[in-house]
Amino acid sequence: MSGTNAASGAAPCRFAHYFVICGIDTETGLEPDELAGENFEQSPLKRTFKSKVLAHYPENVEWNPFDQDAVNMLCMPKGLSFRTQADSREPQFHSFLITREDGSRTYGFVHTFYEEVTSPQICSAMQTLYQMHQAENPSSATPSSSSSSSSSMDSLASSLDEADSPSSSSCRSAACGGYDASRDTLYVSKALCLITPMPFMHACRRFLSQVHRAVAAAAPPPLPLESYVHNILYEVPLPPPGRSLKFHGVYEPIVCQRPGPGELPLADFPLGQTFTLLGVENLVQLFNCTLLEMQILLYSQDYQRLMTVAEGITTLLFPFQWQHVYVPILPASLLHFLDAPVPYLMGLQSKEGTDRSKLELPQEANLCFVDIDNHCIELPEDFPQFPNKPELIQELSEVLLRYGISPVGGAPPTSVPTSTTTPGSVSTRHPGLKSQQALRELEDDGRNGNLGGEQLAVLDLLQGNATLERLQALAKRTGVRVEALRGVGGEGEAQGGRTAVEEEELRNAKLNVQLREVFASRFTTMFADYEAFVIQSAPDLESWLTNREQMHNFDKASFLSDQPEPYLPFLSHFIETQMFATFIDNKIMSQWEEKEPLLRVFDGRINKARLYNVRAPSLRSSNYQRCTILKESAQAIEQRLLKIDHTAIHPHLLDMKIGQGKYEQGFFPKLQSDVLSVGPTNNNRWSNRTATAQRRKDRHRQQTEHLTLDNDLKEKYMQEARSLGKNLRQPKLSDLSPAVIAQTNWKFVEGLLKECRMKTKRMLVEKMGREAVELGHGEANITGLEENTLIASLCDLLERIWSHGLQVKQGKSALWSHLLHYQAREEKLEQQQQQAESPVSNGPERRKSESSIGMPSLRASVIQDMRHIQSMGAIKTDVGRARAWIRLSLEKKLLSQHLKQLLSRQALTKKLYKRYAFLRCEEEKEQFLFHLLSLNTVDYFCFTSVFTTIMIPYRAVIIPIKKLSNAMTTSNPWVCVSGELGDSGVRQITKNVLEMTFDSAFRPHTHIDAMFKCQNLGKLTTVQLGHDNSGLLAKWLVDCVMVRNEITGHTYKFPCGRWLGKGVDDGSLERVLIGELALPNADEDCGRGCRTPDMQHSPGQTRRSSITSMGGRGYKPTSAQIQEAIGEAVNIICKHFHKPEKERGSLTILLCGEVGLVGALEQFFHNGFKSARLFQKTVFVWDFVEKAVAYMESADQMGDMQETAEPLGLTCVSLCHYVSAINSSPRNIGKDGKFQLLVCLGARDRLLIQWLPLLVECPVIQRMYEESALLRDRTTVNALIAVLQTLHDFPITLEASLVKGIDL
């Protein structure tokens, strides 16, 4: 135990935590790896056998416990690999990482080489397996026998076999893929691995490569291997932040450096290679998909490429961090994890020559598939682009070209080689050629005497020193080149003294940091003001953690309203992601805890930018701002590598037993574990320093435990707070029993249900607007853009639920595939019922009740809605159809009911889904449908507003007042329906298409019913209704017009209650009717009856019976009520313009609707108006206006107006001109219609307040108005003018249907 403590004493500050050896266990022999998907058709040399961790040093480290199963699985993801002398046996390098449950990471670096099998038992076992294989598959003695990849998920594993280089497959053909123990030498893979707390990829690669060289060399290494392993485990510290460190491998020194506190965090994987493999365009798209938390699957034959791309892309996310499943190398035994219904970033090894089309993945609706080896990506449908994408690509391309890398994916470097090959390891494309050539050039350079002063001094030292001379002689015997020794003295001293490999590493490091700075600068610009929108409402950490789920931490609506328009589609999606939520959580927690490192760096950069910009307006513009610190960031790295800050202790002889670990060329020796399990006894400087720091940390932790809540409880809160909305970070790699797999799936089911609850709640809160704020739910308004984002995210969730636990995948959309199965089954049943001539029942699908008498009912069925979607030619893919169907069902308030109906066919669900699937967990499924049912309480137009170009059938029903005589008309009626997206044009209605229906009391009712099809009109606003006044029964008393969208079922009611005809009412042959969405009847299920308050009204305002409704003409409102109505109408218009443009709704309703401005002013003019005359026609307000205008025109002719002030004269002219234009319009609108038009035009052109004094001053008023009329009260008129004045601040635009035919 003391050994363990000694080993872990300074672990947090140690460069490496473990040295691991994996390979074949000669005692247990060949064990097939069933989890990796056994395929007995393959040659035994190509099958998967279990590897074992043969040794690891030290035994354990306190804060990084050794996970044997995970390390074994990731060191050898495919298990053991066998070769014969005929095969290629080049060593391979790859990296991996293990993500712990708290999100922290441990990195592994693996050097795999082939070692001769000396065990006769294993050789004979392989011989037996091969003979059995030949006997069972006589035709498969040829190498082409590897089975083709099957399309089912379960057999996917077998296709992920050994990735051979082209040369190796040709060698194998020579040997016919066989093995004969008497003739062939058998080799098996062995892996050397370093496990480190930080990703020093280049340094670890070079160290392992040197250790392997020492094993492969003819002569033993200068010191026993234990000395080098002990040195890197216990005597090499992590470089302090902002410093560089040199330590010694077996033959050459190795340098690594660590960024300072204000710089971007360490990232040692070569980003240049990632860009070379994918190209800038593809990489930016992949970056975008990662930010939007889609499912990302990387696909390559090479494990290191998978790791390089995965680490590269997550490195670019700064200051954000990937919060979901992250497995850059997915072992073959974990392929079922591709079924995970959560965002993930995983890497899958491809088999050479495997066709991508044969790779069947459980879900592709939201998948970004990255084929690294073929330099291409497949993107999900319909996602927002990253802001300023072309300019970003341009800037990145310029950086790459400066380093000689082509911005086009798959192109070789144009000047400087980018291969990260180190001496002794082999690149997959050009095996070591470039590095050998570089070394040869250096050697020639030395032979010609071209040495710098310092190098000459080193050479003199070498020639004069006896010990060094012996070393040089040893180097010659072992075949080590002299330049490697030359590097010992000259490294890091001057640029000329660095080897080609070091030059390459420096170049990679500079390129890395410059590419990352370009991305980081984008976020600094986009989120420069994020702090202003963080809501810090909790008094202390404990209360914040306890109420985390209920709290709103970020004012999303205000933040979006502050952003440039082109950024909104992307930002509205991005601020809904888990990585953004975690970033904001970290910001809030930084009031009570130490700042998270990435956040500290990011905030520092924003503060620096503010100092220079002093909150410049440019920060808010959408102009692209280039990164200004590229040069400085590269210089910082170069300076660190030029001037080495620390040098670690040299490897030295240990106190070892003599004679153990005998050196044998080509075989890795058994190391002495007793000297490697214990660290050095003497406390050197850095371990001392660390121990002190650790003691200080412990004291601080104990104090905080006493001061705040119990530490375990706090940790639990922290975990829950941080994992909110997340599922698993990484699959558990150790125990893969069926029980563990079942538990993992159960976690997914719970996670999906929780996500559904959160999403539906968020959608409701956002939609309920101000009411929700009063109830304490956070933000007040929701933009149309944000609503669209939330619905898109709901579509994504449904796709993930439907793809969880699929038996067989068909098409890219699991939901649409299920719907198609359902449709086929129901249509088959329907046909059978028709053949049996029995009435068709399409399940318990209700018929929507009529919104009004006369409107025939609309059948609501899953199949019917599917047919609507299938008839939309604009949608080409299954994913698109599924999303359209979800939007349509949501708009019709039938989503929960439709899905319940779909899942009620249990036989079908069982056929399509495995037992553990979400859709087969009864209780969770019921809760899920219940959460979706809650969305019926609000109105969505998510289908109508998105599919704006589709053709939609509309049904218009004209309902006369219920007296049969008035319902008949001999004239030719016509209708024109207008909406937010356009109008239907004039539609003639066939003469007397009279239908008769009976109500519950069997009273007959007649109506005219017309169907027409036109391009989507959006939300309907007005109907123009008219006729040509022909025939004997031309006069027509219309109650209302109902118009229904036959796809969404939305029905609009346009009240009329007036006559159309000459010589009756106000003589109108045409009326513009203003409509509103009709509420469903009370007999419908109560969930559908609840609605969001109309966009035009503040939600708290109750709908009172309108004082202006034409039906209530006998009702005389008081003057106070009239003034209140005008104030209210103006107030609502002002509120309308204060909303963001996309969520304003219809202005026409606010002007001409039931409680609109026109109606309120009409009441004002009607007050005290002498309208009813004995034995005479009714007089209308328009008559008063016409007489007033006639008086003004005659006064003008007589010259009375000459004396008036000039502006007043102009106002007179404008009023006369407008009235004349309205009267001379070709439209047959009545007198009330003309007055409405005058008010609307006056409001639009800001003339109303100028016209009112003219009408008040006109002598005609005394004849036509009583003394007590409001219009004759100067004070009231002045108050009215002041109220109307407020409308001048807003640009009022009128719908085309209102001003048609008016030439002004």
Side-chain angles (χ1 to χ4, degrees):
M1 194 61 208
S2 62
T4 308
N5 289 342
S8 62
C13 215
R14 289 205 325 239
F15 181 86
H17 286 177
Y18 294 100
F19 180 77
V20 186
I21 303 142
C22 291
I24 191 164
D25 185 346
T26 47
E27 289 176 17
T28 55
L30 291 180
E31 283 187 85
D33 191 353
E34 295 89 1
L35 284 167
E38 190 52 59
N39 186 352
F40 291 106
E41 289 175 19
Q42 286 184 323
S43 156
L45 284 174
K46 297 184 88 178
R47 288 186 200 160
T48 311
F49 296 97
K50 280 184 185 172
S51 61
K52 290 270 170 70
V53 172
L54 302 178
H56 67 280
Y57 311 101
E59 196 58 37
N60 202 32
V61 172
E62 196 182 324
W63 18 70
N64 185 8
F66 188 72
D67 186 340
Q68 185 151 322
D69 293 318
V71 170
N72 178 37
M73 208 177 269
L74 292 166
C75 277
M76 296 189 143
K78 293 190 303 265
L80 294 170
S81 169
F82 285 93
R83 295 277 192 273
T84 64
Q85 76 286 352
D87 298 314
S88 162
R89 298 189 308 282
E90 293 294 354
Q92 300 288 333
F93 173 84
H94 78 270
S95 324
F96 64 82
L97 63 79
I98 296 174
T99 312
R100 289 192 286 270
E101 284 191 8
D102 63 353
S104 61
R105 292 174 181 177
T106 301
Y107 290 84
F109 301 97
V110 187
H111 183 91
T112 309
F113 62 98
Y114 286 89
E115 199 173 70
E116 188 182 330
V117 178
T118 52
S119 161
Q121 291 93 332
I122 286 173
C123 291
S124 66
M126 183 58 77
Q127 172 88 48
T128 310
L129 282 171
Y130 187 69
Q131 286 166 349
M132 285 166 63
H133 173 71
Q134 270 193 310
E136 287 166 16
N137 305 286
S139 61
S140 70
T142 56
S144 60
S145 67
S146 75
S147 68
S148 65
S149 163
S150 160
S151 64
S152 85
M153 253 323 280
D154 301 323
S155 64
L156 176 62
S158 61
S159 71
L160 301 174
D161 199 2
E162 198 61 52
D164 301 320
S165 61
S167 60
S168 73
S169 49
S170 62
C171 296
R172 189 164 288 181
S173 342
C176 285
Y179 171 67
D180 181 350
S182 60
R183 184 193 67 211
D184 296 322
T185 311
L186 189 63
Y187 294 88
V188 67
S189 53
K190 182 170 266 188
L192 305 178
C193 170
L194 268 184
I195 291 180
T196 65
M198 295 188 80
F200 289 107
M201 194 271 289
H202 286 98
C204 293
R205 183 173 191 161
R206 290 181 67 190
F207 177 82
L208 292 170
S209 156
Q210 289 184 43
V211 170
H212 176 234
R213 266 166 64 197
V215 173
L223 291 168
L225 286 182
E226 283 88 344
S227 296
Y228 303 106
V229 173
H230 183 276
N231 180 252
I232 200 162
L233 285 178
Y234 301 113
E235 296 169 335
V236 177
L238 279 175
R243 300 297 175 89
S244 54
L245 168 82
K246 178 161 81 175
F247 65 94
H248 293 268
V250 183
Y251 300 113
E252 298 142 18
I254 297 164
V255 177
C256 59
Q257 57 87 34
R258 188 170 164 190
E263 296 174 60
L264 295 176
L266 175 69
D268 206 26
F269 289 85
L271 263 177
Q273 191 184 343
T274 307
F275 277 87
T276 306
L277 288 167
L278 293 177
V280 181
E281 175 94 31
N282 281 344
L283 195 121
V284 170
Q285 289 285 45
L286 171 59
F287 171 69
N288 194 8
C289 291
T290 313
L291 284 170
L292 299 176
E293 296 187 338
M294 295 174 177
Q295 291 179 322
I296 292 158
L297 185 62
L298 310 176
Y299 193 60
S300 170
Q301 285 186 50
D302 186 336
Y303 290 131
Q304 185 58 10
R305 283 185 175 185
L306 293 174
M307 189 72 185
T308 301
V309 173
E311 279 293 285
I313 208 73
T314 50
T315 298
L316 297 177
L317 299 176
F318 168 87
F320 308 101
Q321 288 169 291
W322 180 257
Q323 297 294 321
H324 299 276
V325 175
Y326 182 58
V327 192
I329 296 172
L330 187 68
S333 53
L334 285 182
L335 286 171
H336 63 275
F337 225 80
L338 290 171
D339 200 13
V342 290
Y344 59 66
L345 202 168
M346 297 201 231
L348 189 61
Q349 200 227 10
S350 62
K351 183 190 174 190
E352 187 197 8
T354 305
D355 186 4
R356 153 73 181 108
S357 60
K358 287 184 182 164
L359 181 71
E360 281 291 337
L361 299 164
Q363 45 196 328
E364 294 184 55
N366 205 36
L367 180 76
C368 173
F369 183 84
V370 185
D371 188 342
I372 298 173
D373 300 338
N374 293 315
H375 323 293
C376 61
I377 63 175
E378 293 170 25
L379 295 165
E381 290 176 29
D382 187 32
F383 63 94
Q385 293 299 318
F386 191 72
N388 299 115
K389 185 179 141 194
E391 294 92 337
L392 175 64
I393 288 174
Q394 177 64 31
E395 187 175 5
L396 291 168
S397 301
E398 287 170 19
V399 173
L400 289 167
L401 288 168
R402 282 203 289 275
Y403 286 84
I405 295 174
S406 162
V408 183
T414 49
S415 62
V416 196
T418 56
S419 164
T420 55
T421 307
T422 59
S425 72
V426 178
S427 151
T428 44
R429 281 194 180 170
H430 324 283
L433 290 177
K434 285 177 180 167
S435 51
Q436 285 169 21
Q437 188 185 345
L439 285 168
R440 217 172 290 123
E441 283 168 10
L442 277 175
E443 201 173 339
D444 293 342
D445 209 34
R447 263 195 226 110
N448 297 330
N450 303 330
L451 291 173
E454 285 168 350
Q455 289 162 308
L456 277 170
V458 172
L459 202 61
D460 291 340
L461 187 69
L462 277 171
Q463 286 161 352
N465 186 305
T467 315
L468 287 174
E469 277 178 355
R470 282 204 300 278
L471 275 174
Q472 200 173 11
L474 177 71
K476 278 182 180 166
R477 277 207 312 281
T478 57
V480 177
R481 295 178 189 277
V482 91
E483 324 73 69
L485 283 170
R486 193 171 63 215
V488 174
E491 170 144 64
E493 303 298 329
Q495 193 165 341
R498 288 199 296 272
T499 64
V501 174
E502 287 155 3
E503 276 300 323
E504 180 65 19
E505 283 179 18
L506 171 61
R507 190 175 151 280
N508 273 332
K510 286 162 69 175
L511 174 59
N512 264 19
V513 77
Q514 292 198 346
L515 290 168
R516 291 170 68 205
E517 287 291 359
V518 172
F519 284 94
S521 119
R522 297 304 312 123
F523 287 125
T524 313
T525 308
M526 284 158 71
F527 292 96
D529 278 349
Y530 86 96
E531 280 184 75
F533 304 98
V534 175
I535 302 166
Q536 308 218 355
S537 49
D540 55 56
L541 180 60
E542 188 180 346
S543 63
W544 182 80
L545 289 170
T546 314
N547 303 305
R548 166 70 191 87
E549 201 167 322
Q550 285 76 42
M551 285 190 173
H552 278 264
N553 293 337
F554 192 71
D555 186 352
K556 293 175 181 173
S558 305
F559 173 75
L560 289 174
S561 67
D562 212 28
Q563 302 310 308
E565 185 78 20
Y567 289 12
L568 293 178
F570 170 80
L571 284 175
S572 64
H573 277 73
F574 179 64
I575 62 174
E576 295 296 332
T577 59
Q578 187 60 44
M579 71 174 83
F580 185 76
T582 306
F583 173 75
I584 297 300
D585 285 355
N586 287 339
K587 179 68 184 172
I588 290 171
M589 285 196 286
S590 68
Q591 333 169 53
W592 305 293
E593 292 187 339
E594 195 181 345
K595 253 191 194 176
E596 197 267 335
L598 295 185
L599 180 68
R600 189 179 62 239
V601 177
F602 188 64
D603 283 354
R605 288 173 171 232
I606 287 177
N607 294 336
K608 195 173 172 186
R610 281 217 191 100
L611 279 174
Y612 290 125
N613 286 306
V614 200
R615 189 61 185 85
S618 63
L619 283 177
R620 216 176 259 171
S621 82
S622 61
N623 294 338
Y624 187 81
Q625 292 175 336
R626 284 173 160 263
C627 180
T628 53
I629 56 167
L630 291 182
K631 207 171 177 183
E632 296 94 302
S633 58
Q635 278 170 352
I637 284 180
E638 188 159 17
Q639 279 162 7
R640 273 200 293 274
L641 289 176
L642 279 174
K643 181 181 168 295
I644 303 299
D645 298 300
H646 300 280
T647 302
I649 298 170
H650 283 243
H652 51 86
L653 274 172
L654 302 171
D655 182 12
M656 287 167 60
K657 294 173 186 142
I658 305 298
Q660 284 195 4
K662 184 163 58 82
Y663 176 78
E664 198 178 337
Q665 185 182 1
F667 292 93
F668 195 84
K670 186 170 187 206
L671 302 180
Q672 293 189 25
S673 55
D674 51 349
V675 293
L676 292 179
S677 60
V678 188
T681 46
N682 62 319
N683 282 325
N684 57 28
R685 290 168 317 192
W686 57 273
S687 62
N688 233 338
R689 193 168 60 231
T690 315
T692 318
Q694 192 55 39
R695 279 199 297 275
R696 203 164 46 238
K697 233 178 199 170
D698 288 344
R699 270 204 309 277
H700 176 69
R701 193 177 70 222
Q702 284 160 3
Q703 285 167 356
T704 51
E705 278 177 30
H706 294 307
L707 290 172
T708 61
L709 61 159
D710 169 56
N711 213 41
D712 292 344
L713 185 65
K714 177 176 170 179
E715 194 52 41
K716 178 172 164 276
Y717 278 142
M718 294 290 285
Q719 285 305 320
E720 282 178 2
R722 289 197 167 115
S723 66
L724 192 66
K726 288 190 285 246
N727 291 285
L728 295 174
R729 298 255 193 173
Q730 173 160 3
K732 189 131 183 68
L733 298 180
S734 43
D735 181 8
L736 284 169
S737 63
V740 170
I741 292 173
Q743 189 189 357
T744 303
N745 277 305
W746 184 244
K747 278 188 180 173
F748 283 143
V749 169
E750 285 181 327
L752 287 170
L753 186 61
K754 186 174 185 179
E755 196 179 339
C756 180
R757 187 183 81 235
M758 302 285 285
K759 277 195 163 64
T760 48
K761 179 183 171 184
R762 175 109 168 78
M763 288 170 76
L764 286 172
V765 165
E766 292 291 13
K767 197 69 173 145
M768 286 163 74
R770 213 163 292 285
E771 268 185 5
V773 177
E774 285 163 13
L775 297 170
H777 283 300
E779 296 124 54
N781 51 349
I782 175 168
T783 62
L785 184 83
E786 203 171 338
E787 178 180 310
N788 215 20
T789 304
L790 293 174
I791 289 166
S793 127
L794 177 71
C795 293
D796 165 42
L797 173 66
L798 292 180
E799 276 295 357
R800 284 191 278 122
I801 285 175
W802 252 258
S803 58
H804 182 235
L806 263 180
Q807 296 272 21
V808 180
K809 182 172 172 293
Q810 294 174 337
K812 283 199 170 182
S813 166
L815 175 57
W816 190 251
S817 169
H818 193 168
L819 283 165
L820 289 173
H821 277 106
Y822 175 83
Q823 184 181 28
R825 202 167 168 280
E826 294 299 305
E827 285 174 348
K828 193 176 172 186
L829 283 172
E830 207 170 308
Q831 282 173 356
Q832 288 169 358
Q833 285 173 333
Q834 281 171 351
Q835 284 161 7
E837 292 182 341
S838 64
V840 175
S841 150
N842 201 358
E845 290 169 341
R846 66 182 167 68
R847 297 161 72 81
K848 285 172 78 172
S849 67
E850 302 176 21
S851 296
S852 166
I853 289 170
M855 185 65 86
S857 64
L858 191 65
R859 193 170 105 186
S861 94
V862 176
I863 307 282
Q864 192 59 44
D865 286 349
M866 282 185 72
R867 286 174 185 153
H868 286 314
I869 302 301
Q870 285 162 330
S871 68
M872 288 164 61
I875 305 174
K876 307 283 186 220
T877 64
D878 285 355
V879 175
R881 291 184 192 101
R883 288 182 178 176
W885 184 86
I886 293 167
R887 285 174 175 275
L888 177 58
S889 305
L890 191 58
E891 184 162 327
K892 293 175 84 164
K893 302 191 179 192
L894 292 172
L895 182 59
S896 179
Q897 185 190 316
H898 275 356
L899 293 177
K900 189 174 184 178
Q901 176 64 25
L902 178 66
L903 296 170
S904 67
R905 301 287 184 259
Q906 288 187 348
L908 179 62
T909 312
K910 278 182 184 171
K911 181 183 152 195
L912 295 177
Y913 289 92
K914 294 173 186 165
R915 182 63 199 90
Y916 64 76
F918 182 94
L919 297 177
R920 289 188 62 188
C921 300
E922 289 305 316
E923 196 176 319
E924 283 69 26
K925 183 176 77 181
E926 285 304 314
Q927 288 183 51
F928 156 71
L929 292 170
F930 178 75
H931 289 314
L932 290 182
L933 185 64
S934 66
L935 296 176
N936 287 6
T937 56
V938 291
D939 291 330
Y940 283 104
F941 289 87
C942 49
F943 179 83
T944 310
S945 60
V946 168
F947 300 102
T948 53
T949 57
I950 60 168
M951 297 300 284
I952 288 185
Y954 290 92
R955 180 187 291 271
V957 176
I958 302 162
I959 301 169
I961 297 277
K962 299 159 194 169
K963 297 174 188 169
L964 201 58
S965 56
N966 298 336
M968 307 284 282
T969 178
T970 54
S971 57
N972 299 299
W974 56 267
V975 71
C976 175
V977 182
S978 301
E980 290 177 350
L981 301 175
D983 66 52
S984 64
V986 171
R987 303 278 171 162
Q988 294 293 339
I989 296 170
T990 318
K991 205 169 185 176
N992 278 341
V993 190
L994 208 59
E995 290 190 15
M996 189 172 287
T997 54
F998 293 87
D999 62 16
S1000 53
F1002 291 99
R1003 289 189 296 264
H1005 299 289
T1006 54
H1007 58 267
I1008 291 177
D1009 192 336
M1011 284 283 288
F1012 60 89
K1013 203 169 186 177
C1014 65
Q1015 191 168 308
N1016 186 356
L1017 302 175
K1019 290 182 192 170
L1020 304 187
T1021 49
T1022 62
V1023 160
Q1024 297 163 62
L1025 174 69
H1027 64 74
D1028 61 358
N1029 206 43
S1030 60
L1032 293 169
L1033 297 171
K1035 295 168 187 172
W1036 194 22
L1037 182 56
V1038 177
D1039 178 35
C1040 66
V1041 177
M1042 309 289 293
V1043 180
R1044 183 172 68 204
N1045 178 325
E1046 292 293 282
I1047 290 181
T1048 66
H1050 282 313
T1051 306
Y1052 294 81
K1053 184 174 185 176
F1054 299 85
C1056 178
R1058 306 284 294 268
W1059 285 91
L1060 281 114
K1062 287 284 182 197
V1064 64
D1065 203 334
D1066 63 348
S1068 176
L1069 289 182
E1070 174 187 335
R1071 293 198 185 279
V1072 178
L1073 310 178
I1074 312 301
E1076 284 193 78
L1077 193 63
L1079 282 167
N1081 282 5
D1083 62 344
E1084 298 210 19
D1085 55 349
C1086 58
R1088 292 182 50 83
C1090 315
R1091 295 180 64 227
T1092 325
D1094 292 332
M1095 290 188 106
Q1096 294 80 15
H1097 309 292
S1098 50
Q1101 180 195 319
T1102 52
R1103 296 296 307 264
R1104 53 187 176 68
S1105 63
S1106 167
I1107 57 166
T1108 63
S1109 57
M1110 298 321 298
R1113 284 215 156 200
Y1115 167 66
K1116 288 271 197 283
T1118 63
S1119 55
Q1121 285 174 321
I1122 291 169
Q1123 286 170 287
E1124 187 192 333
I1126 291 173
E1128 216 169 81
V1130 171
N1131 194 19
I1132 289 171
I1133 293 172
C1134 294
K1135 281 184 187 174
H1136 168 89
F1137 282 104
H1138 278 110
K1139 288 179 185 175
E1141 199 171 336
K1142 287 177 180 168
E1143 52 176 282
R1144 284 180 183 169
S1146 167
L1147 182 61
T1148 308
I1149 293 175
L1150 306 190
L1151 288 170
C1152 311
E1154 220 181 349
V1155 288
L1157 181 66
V1158 171
L1161 284 175
E1162 208 170 78
Q1163 283 296 341
F1164 188 89
F1165 275 85
H1166 265 290
N1167 184 268
F1169 185 59
K1170 303 173 184 173
S1171 58
R1173 310 289 170 89
L1174 212 55
F1175 310 119
Q1176 286 182 23
K1177 283 193 297 185
T1178 307
V1179 183
F1180 293 85
V1181 173
W1182 184 251
D1183 293 323
F1184 162 64
V1185 173
E1186 281 185 323
K1187 284 179 180 169
V1189 166
Y1191 170 80
M1192 288 173 209
E1193 283 173 340
S1194 62
D1196 189 26
Q1197 285 161 9
M1198 290 164 65
D1200 290 2
M1201 300 293 275
Q1202 305 291 323
E1203 290 104 48
T1204 57
E1206 196 168 319
L1208 202 60
L1210 289 173
T1211 308
C1212 256
V1213 171
S1214 74
L1215 178 60
C1216 299
H1217 176 54
Y1218 274 68
V1219 170
S1220 153
I1222 290 168
N1223 275 329
S1224 57
S1225 154
R1227 294 170 68 183
N1228 286 307
I1229 49 176
K1231 291 179 178 177
D1232 279 344
K1234 289 176 180 177
F1235 179 75
Q1236 172 176 291
L1237 197 48
L1238 184 70
V1239 172
C1240 289
L1241 292 168
R1244 181 191 74 183
D1245 300 337
R1246 298 169 187 170
L1247 293 168
L1248 272 182
I1249 59 169
Q1250 296 174 23
W1251 293 343
L1252 271 172
L1254 289 177
L1255 295 171
V1256 170
E1257 295 295 328
C1258 182
V1260 178
I1261 198 168
Q1262 291 160 10
R1263 279 207 312 278
M1264 301 188 76
Y1265 280 88
E1266 292 161 9
E1267 189 72 37
S1268 60
L1270 287 174
L1271 201 57
R1272 291 182 68 177
D1273 180 349
R1274 278 297 169 85
T1275 318
T1276 310
V1277 171
N1278 287 340
L1280 173 64
I1281 288 169
V1283 169
L1284 293 176
Q1285 175 85 46
T1286 56
L1287 295 180
H1288 286 201
D1289 299 337
F1290 309 113
I1292 291 176
T1293 49
L1294 300 178
E1295 213 174 287
S1297 60
L1298 291 177
V1299 293
K1300 197 187 279 183
I1302 305 296
D1303 184 24
L1304 279 170

